[in-house]
Amino acid sequence: MKFFNYLLIIIFLIGFKTQAQRVVKTINSGWEFQLENSENPETVNIPHTWNAEDAFNDGAYFRGKGTYKKKLFIPQDYKEKNVFIKFEGANQVTKVFVNNQLAGEHIGGYTGFIFELSDYLKYENENEIRIELDNAHHADIPPLEADFNFYGGIYRDVELIVTGKSHFQLEGESAGNFPIKTPAVSEELAKVVFDTKVENYHEDLKLQVEITDPSGNPVSSREHSLKAEELSLDFEIMNPELWSPEEPNLYNLKADLIDSRSGEILDSYTSNFGCRWFKADPEKGFFLNGKPIKLIGANRHQDFENMGNAVPNSIHRKDYQMIKDMGANFIRTAHYPQDPDVYRICDELGLLVWTEIPVINDVTDSKAYHKNSIEMQREQILQLYNHPSIVFWGYMNEIFIRLVFTGDMSEADKKAKIATSVELAKKLEAETKKLDTTRLSVMALHENDIYNTSGIADIPDVIGWNLYFGWYTQGLENLGRFLDNQHKNYPNRPLLISEYGPGSDSRIQTNDPKPWDYSEAYQLKSHVSYLNQIMERDYMLGMAAWNFADFGSSGRQDSRPFINQKGLVNFDREPKDVYYYYKASLTNEDFVYIAGKNFENRIIKKDQPVLIKVFANSEKVELTVNDTLRKSSEVIDNIAEFQLNLSENIHQLKATAGNSEHSRIIQVQFRENLIENIKHQPLTINVGSHSDFTDEKTGEIWINDQPYIQNSFGYVGGHSYQQSETKFQGSASNIKATTNEPLFQTMREDIKNYKFDVPDGKYRISLLFTEPNRGASRENIYNLGSDASNASEKLRMFDIRINGTLVEENLNLARDYGALRAVELNYTMDSENEINVEFQPKNGNTILSGIKLEKL
Ligand code: GCB
């Protein structure tokens, strides 16, 4: 019994002494928050942004100051310790005050930072922590401008860290991280170097360092007396378990700082790391651990529908899991370092990473801008150093785009802009290499020779091209030509595609995809073409689609305003067709998927077969229709196509490939019967468009337009109004007073009639319009000064008659409603065998965006 008590005491003492002394706790909940211009504070939890809503409204979102306050009780105990506050990221200038005293200030919205609070605290007392944050535009802080929202707020976790009096260094650029370098790795041996630094050094400190292998078994365990505040330790791992996308093996290093007199652990540090080596060969592509690997994946922004950038870690994990499940092995965390968890997740999942700082579109020629950019790169590298997933450090994106597109820049200004950008690139390159000799540096360019002629493209190790052939520039097939030329002219440059892809909208479906129609089908067509062209070229390291998910960009006016819609998945992460296409192309386990989740209603001509696309990674796909009809089709480019002659009905499709099976129910309706059907279902037509549009609120499908057919319906005269010959969308502008932009953005100009051969009866006709000409606003409509000829074209004016009755005289959309506004005019009419809507121009051209016919 006595012995047992004695043992308990020993166990207690050992337990007490070896207990880690670093306490880390999140302090995310219950902050009082107030925006500079608001009257009342509110209570919020972190992650938080003040722009989750206003970045998706008309006009500029708020960019200015917000203040967070919180009372923190600090116990007496902590007087014997050191207390720190850690931010994983806050956008973009942060000042931390403790009891009204400034404890620290940080510039930049995308990296972490830590401040020591100890000197300002009252112990056994409440302390006020006040955080002042500012996301206003600042000419000296990147990003200056970009195609995404600079949401303000403390949008990543905040932690309180408590250590012993002597502790590992926490403040400073590396925000508590210490590099674990792997300067030489082979299958036989990995050399590992761990550099660390201690604050409040004294001679009785020792370090206990343990490395464990991916299964958690100790590889090395060593104790070192500290002779100075800094220590560098070398380790060797024999036959290391290499890190790769297939086997993301992670080692762990844990270091305890111990007071050798008392045996007390004062602080501890832990980090995963991995053993791998890689290279980028300008002729043969990318190699990981000596084996070629084509880098295929996506870019990813950090925001989410209705949340802005204040997303929980669980969403970060879900995103990267989806990217991994798609079969990708590569990710670009564009355009800024993301949450620290993101890189941990990429390590664990096995995704190779390009991470970059937000030096985008433009550079300010100031010392401060250069300094802040370099500081961001230093913080990025020092904080993320240990992640084996990271292979590229990026530092510029399309840095000459403003210069190219700003029309009135003088030659001298252009020269100066090029000079300062090249100078900054050189500094960033040097800094990158100074901090890390093992990774590759990279920058992303837009399609313009200025990057070559200016010499900037010669600075980094690897070049990423952002190429939008088939979208911003014409011809999907021009991609290969462009790349081959670059490769020929600059044979020593390893090349990647850092961005590509068109916008798409799940509400827009067609079998006849065209550039700028925002259909899922055009997105698919474009990605198939890109993937093929890259796979054919050994010299290409790989490619990253723009973007994994739709994301917020307040300046955007696409088919969903304020959102960049080039995602493989929607803003809420609901996959678009193209996501499954990649899954079929990139995964090995049997996979089959019937495309068209948002195209289950097929409204077609009687004699037209239904086109069904099935994605698969097999050679053949079998399709049953209503469990009977069996068809088999060859898989080309991971797509099997079926042309099915189906009755007007609901049909159950089932596709099988290998061990995988997928079903989808589709409904077929014949256009010829829509008139007959009108008593049950209004006839809704997406005038001027070749695509069907689904109104998400009502479920109505606005079918693609057709020329008038006797005993049926359709338009007479006119042409589809297009932005340009190659852009199959009438207007790329936000249309006011609707969320059904695509319905109004496409239209038929010069239309003469819209006719329906309907039986006698009472009908309601709704005509949908928008004036697409931005210049034709109410404000300038009477201003016929120097711009008179233009203005008269803007003053489109027409009469409308329905079955001969004048229902609109001199309808002038711009004058009466304003440009780019959804206008819906309704009329009730009796039919005498037909409804004939006549459009008669008075000035300029007639125009119509949509038409709906309901039987009353
Ligand atoms: C780019 C930019 C990216 C944009 C993208 C687009 O080249 O690098 O930030 O979002 O194009 O969608 O236009």
Side-chain angles (χ1 to χ4, degrees):
M1 193 63 182
K2 238 181 171 181
F3 172 75
F4 184 68
N5 281 345
Y6 195 56
L7 195 68
L8 273 183
I9 291 168
I10 292 175
I11 290 171
F12 173 76
L13 283 177
I14 294 171
F16 178 76
K17 281 190 177 167
T18 54
Q19 197 187 352
Q21 292 295 297
R22 182 181 286 196
V23 175
V24 180
K25 52 181 178 187
T26 55
I27 44 169
N28 284 345
S29 298
W31 289 81
E32 182 189 302
F33 171 71
Q34 191 158 15
L35 259 194
E36 157 181 32
N37 57 359
S38 79
E39 304 228 314
N40 298 318
E42 50 177 325
T43 303
V44 302
N45 285 349
I46 289 166
H48 172 259
T49 173
W50 57 75
N51 297 120
E53 279 172 32
D54 68 352
F56 300 90
N57 296 336
D58 264 329
Y61 58 96
F62 178 82
R63 293 188 67 185
K65 292 197 176 77
T67 304
Y68 297 80
K69 281 188 204 160
K70 186 176 178 64
K71 292 262 191 294
L72 264 190
F73 182 83
I74 301 289
Q76 188 63 31
D77 270 22
Y78 284 11
K79 204 161 188 179
E80 304 312 313
K81 304 188 188 303
N82 280 6
V83 182
F84 301 86
I85 191 164
K86 173 173 183 171
F87 294 79
E88 291 182 341
N91 201 25
Q92 74 175 351
V93 176
T94 313
K95 286 185 187 163
V96 177
F97 297 86
V98 181
N99 301 321
N100 271 328
Q101 301 165 84
L102 183 66
E105 181 172 354
H106 181 260
I107 291 175
Y110 305 94
T111 41
F113 49 98
I114 297 180
F115 301 132
E116 181 164 359
L117 307 184
S118 316
D119 289 350
Y120 314 102
L121 289 171
K122 294 182 281 179
Y123 295 90
E124 202 57 19
N125 228 317
E126 288 226 306
N127 292 266
E128 190 200 62
I129 312 289
R130 189 174 84 248
I131 296 156
E132 291 180 3
L133 208 58
D134 193 341
N135 73 332
H137 174 83
H138 196 305
D140 289 329
I141 306 178
L144 296 173
E145 55 143 309
D147 182 21
F148 62 93
N149 296 327
F150 307 152
Y151 307 98
I154 308 178
Y155 69 96
R156 295 183 191 160
D157 297 328
V158 186
E159 290 169 347
L160 204 69
I161 301 176
V162 184
T163 66
K165 270 292 170 211
S166 293
H167 58 87
F168 289 110
Q169 187 185 45
L170 281 161
E171 287 187 305
E173 296 160 315
S174 50
N177 187 47
F178 296 109
I180 303 173
K181 297 179 180 157
T182 49
V185 181
S186 69
E187 286 190 10
E188 292 78 37
L189 179 75
K191 294 199 170 184
V192 181
V193 181
F194 172 56
D195 293 330
T196 188
K197 189 172 178 197
V198 164
E199 299 278 346
N200 295 331
Y201 166 79
H202 59 76
E203 283 175 352
D204 295 310
L205 292 175
K206 62 176 183 180
L207 215 57
Q208 169 78 44
V209 182
E210 185 173 83
I211 294 183
T212 45
D213 72 12
S215 320
N217 302 319
V219 174
S220 158
S221 183
R222 283 179 8 200
E223 225 176 64
H224 301 264
S225 308
L226 276 174
K227 301 272 180 290
E229 58 179 16
E230 289 185 39
L231 183 70
S232 180
L233 295 173
D234 294 349
F235 299 87
E236 287 192 349
I237 301 174
M238 305 305 288
N239 305 317
E241 295 178 55
L242 299 176
W243 182 95
S244 70
E246 298 77 37
E247 287 182 55
N249 290 316
L250 292 173
Y251 286 80
N252 181 267
L253 180 147
K254 184 166 185 294
D256 287 331
L257 181 66
I258 299 169
D259 187 324
S260 43
R261 293 164 303 193
S262 62
E264 191 185 349
I265 298 174
L266 304 171
D267 195 11
S268 21
Y269 169 85
T270 181
S271 171
N272 284 346
F273 67 98
C275 303
R276 85 286 179 261
W277 74 98
F278 57 87
K279 68 169 185 184
D281 186 293
E283 203 51 53
K284 299 190 189 117
F286 197 82
F287 287 76
L288 179 68
N289 301 330
K291 295 185 201 113
I293 173 172
K294 200 70 142 184
L295 305 176
I296 307 284
N299 290 263
R300 188 254 187 184
H301 266 302
Q302 64 184 2
D303 61 347
F304 194 92
E305 190 173 44
N306 300 327
M307 289 186 191
N309 56 355
V311 300
N313 291 336
S314 52
I315 286 187
H316 294 308
R317 183 167 286 276
K318 193 173 164 230
D319 275 9
Y320 287 91
Q321 186 67 57
M322 280 183 84
I323 292 164
K324 178 76 182 178
D325 291 348
M326 188 179 91
N329 56 20
F330 181 48
I331 186 81
R332 174 173 174 229
T333 55
H335 285 308
Y336 39 77
Q338 298 191 1
D339 193 284
D341 249 38
V342 159
Y343 302 93
R344 279 195 278 273
I345 294 164
C346 291
D347 287 348
E348 287 169 23
L349 293 176
L351 288 164
L352 290 148
V353 178
W354 159 338
T355 182
E356 65 190 20
I357 54 165
V359 178
I360 308 170
N361 292 10
D362 202 0
V363 166
T364 304
D365 187 12
S366 72
K367 268 196 180 139
Y369 184 90
H370 283 223
K371 181 173 160 281
N372 286 333
S373 306
I374 291 165
E375 194 53 40
M376 282 180 191
Q377 182 71 332
R378 289 184 59 81
E379 288 183 353
Q380 163 170 259
I381 296 175
L382 292 168
Q383 294 177 18
L384 301 177
Y385 194 95
N386 298 347
H387 297 285
S389 53
I390 296 174
V391 288
F392 297 118
W393 298 122
Y395 51 72
M396 273 182 182
N397 181 70
E398 303 192 345
I399 211 61
F400 292 136
I401 203 156
R402 267 303 134 234
L403 183 148
V404 169
F405 285 102
T406 308
D408 54 1
M409 211 185 266
S410 71
E411 281 311 306
D413 285 351
K414 281 189 183 170
K415 260 194 166 161
K417 192 59 93 187
I418 292 174
T420 190
S421 306
V422 171
E423 185 197 329
L424 178 58
K426 284 184 179 158
K427 289 187 205 161
L428 286 165
E429 174 68 18
E431 203 64 36
T432 305
K433 286 294 150 67
K434 193 163 106 195
L435 296 176
D436 188 354
T437 48
T438 62
R439 262 97 167 198
L440 298 165
S441 60
V442 67
M443 76 168 64
L445 318 177
H446 85 279
E447 190 209 328
N448 195 292
D449 209 34
I450 190 168
Y451 297 95
N452 295 324
T453 54
S454 64
I456 206 164
D458 294 322
I459 297 172
D461 298 324
V462 172
I463 281 302
W465 283 103
N466 298 345
L467 297 174
Y468 289 91
F469 290 106
W471 194 250
Y472 297 127
T473 35
Q474 279 179 47
L476 292 168
E477 67 289 351
N478 291 329
L479 171 72
R481 243 171 263 151
F482 176 89
L483 292 172
D484 291 345
N485 254 328
Q486 291 297 323
H487 179 55
K488 196 171 115 225
N489 295 339
Y490 306 96
N492 297 325
R493 254 185 221 168
L495 298 180
L496 259 172
I497 299 191
S498 30
E499 295 179 22
Y500 65 97
S504 83
D505 184 328
S506 300
R507 300 171 298 176
I508 301 176
Q509 301 295 335
T510 179
N511 286 324
D512 181 22
K514 297 172 195 221
W516 284 83
D517 64 9
Y518 284 91
S519 68
E520 283 198 57
Y522 184 73
Q523 187 185 32
L524 175 65
K525 179 175 170 176
S526 159
H527 281 265
V528 172
S529 165
Y530 265 68
L531 186 56
N532 285 342
Q533 293 185 67
I534 294 311
M535 291 316 245
E536 278 164 13
R537 289 173 166 79
D538 286 345
Y539 67 84
M540 287 302 296
L541 308 190
M543 63 202 248
W546 190 258
N547 193 287
F548 164 62
D550 289 0
F551 59 91
S553 177
S554 79
R556 281 253 156 208
Q557 309 221 340
D558 291 354
S559 83
R560 289 186 200 265
F562 319 121
I563 294 177
N564 186 314
Q565 296 168 260
K566 299 191 185 75
L568 308 178
V569 305
N570 281 317
F571 206 4
D572 64 359
R573 278 32 176 191
E574 196 54 44
K576 302 178 187 175
D577 270 350
V578 68
Y579 173 87
Y580 294 107
Y581 158 71
Y582 275 109
K583 190 168 167 129
S585 307
L586 303 175
T587 58
N588 296 326
E589 237 173 74
D590 290 354
F591 176 72
V592 70
Y593 181 85
I594 304 172
K597 185 176 62 198
N598 303 300
F599 200 18
E600 291 182 341
N601 286 285
R602 303 300 182 102
I603 303 164
I604 53 166
K605 289 197 187 121
K606 249 184 207 154
D607 57 3
Q608 204 186 336
V610 177
L611 173 65
I612 299 293
K613 289 189 178 177
V614 181
F615 305 141
N617 49 12
S618 53
E619 282 180 7
K620 275 200 158 95
V621 169
E622 297 240 302
L623 191 75
T624 64
V625 183
N626 305 324
D627 286 331
T628 49
L629 178 67
R630 278 188 158 263
K631 289 206 165 196
S632 172
S633 179
E634 206 189 331
V635 178
I636 299 169
D637 293 339
N638 297 97
I639 304 176
E641 287 199 0
F642 295 87
Q643 301 275 1
L644 304 174
N645 292 311
L646 297 177
S647 61
E648 196 174 42
N649 214 330
I650 287 174
H651 301 277
Q652 159 97 35
L653 309 178
K654 194 167 87 190
T656 321
N659 287 322
S660 181
E661 217 178 74
H662 185 242
S663 299
R664 180 173 305 294
I665 291 175
I666 62 163
Q667 177 168 17
V668 176
Q669 269 181 289
F670 292 145
R671 292 173 85 98
E672 287 82 347
N673 295 343
L674 294 176
I675 292 276
E676 168 65 22
N677 226 354
I678 215 161
K679 39 188 189 286
H680 309 300
Q681 187 189 356
L683 177 49
T684 43
I685 302 151
N686 189 6
V687 176
S689 176
H690 61 279
S691 304
D692 293 354
F693 170 77
T694 303
D695 179 336
E696 281 171 339
K697 293 201 180 103
T698 61
E700 277 171 343
I701 298 168
W702 295 70
I703 59 170
N704 64 77
D705 207 2
Q706 66 179 39
Y708 171 68
I709 301 167
Q710 235 184 354
N711 297 324
S712 187
F713 64 93
Y715 62 79
V716 180
H719 55 265
S720 287
Y721 180 94
Q722 286 178 203
Q723 282 180 66
S724 72
E725 253 177 51
T726 49
K727 289 189 175 176
F728 291 83
Q729 184 202 33
S731 159
S733 294
N734 178 8
I735 310 291
K736 291 179 209 78
T738 185
T739 50
N740 285 345
E741 255 77 13
L743 203 46
F744 293 91
Q745 285 171 334
T746 51
M747 50 211 115
R748 197 158 186 86
E749 202 177 34
D750 244 345
I751 186 167
K752 306 245 169 324
N753 308 66
Y754 215 101
K755 301 216 290 185
F756 302 87
D757 292 338
V758 282
D760 290 355
K762 215 177 207 16
Y763 291 85
R764 183 186 296 122
I765 302 143
S766 307
L767 302 179
L768 272 49
F769 303 97
T770 199
E771 170 53 65
N773 193 336
R774 189 186 287 277
S777 66
R778 259 193 267 213
E779 293 74 45
N780 67 7
I781 209 76
Y782 300 108
N783 178 9
L784 301 179
S786 56
D787 207 16
S789 60
N790 225 340
S792 75
E793 190 246 331
K794 288 172 195 163
L795 282 166
R796 158 193 333 275
M797 203 152 67
F798 50 95
D799 293 347
I800 302 175
R801 286 185 171 71
I802 303 183
N803 289 353
T805 306
L806 185 67
V807 292
E808 296 294 335
E809 189 171 12
N810 293 341
L811 174 65
N812 183 325
L813 295 165
R815 181 197 60 202
D816 301 341
Y817 303 98
L820 301 173
R821 174 171 287 276
V823 177
E824 182 178 331
L825 304 176
N826 299 298
Y827 314 92
T828 307
M829 279 286 153
D830 289 324
S831 147
E832 293 135 21
N833 273 328
E834 67 162 15
I835 299 273
N836 181 2
V837 187
E838 267 176 280
F839 302 84
Q840 181 110 56
K842 289 293 198 51
N843 192 27
N845 302 313
T846 62
I847 203 153
L848 179 68
S849 285
I851 192 162
K852 173 173 178 177
L853 190 67
E854 286 166 278
K855 177 105 173 53
L856 296 178

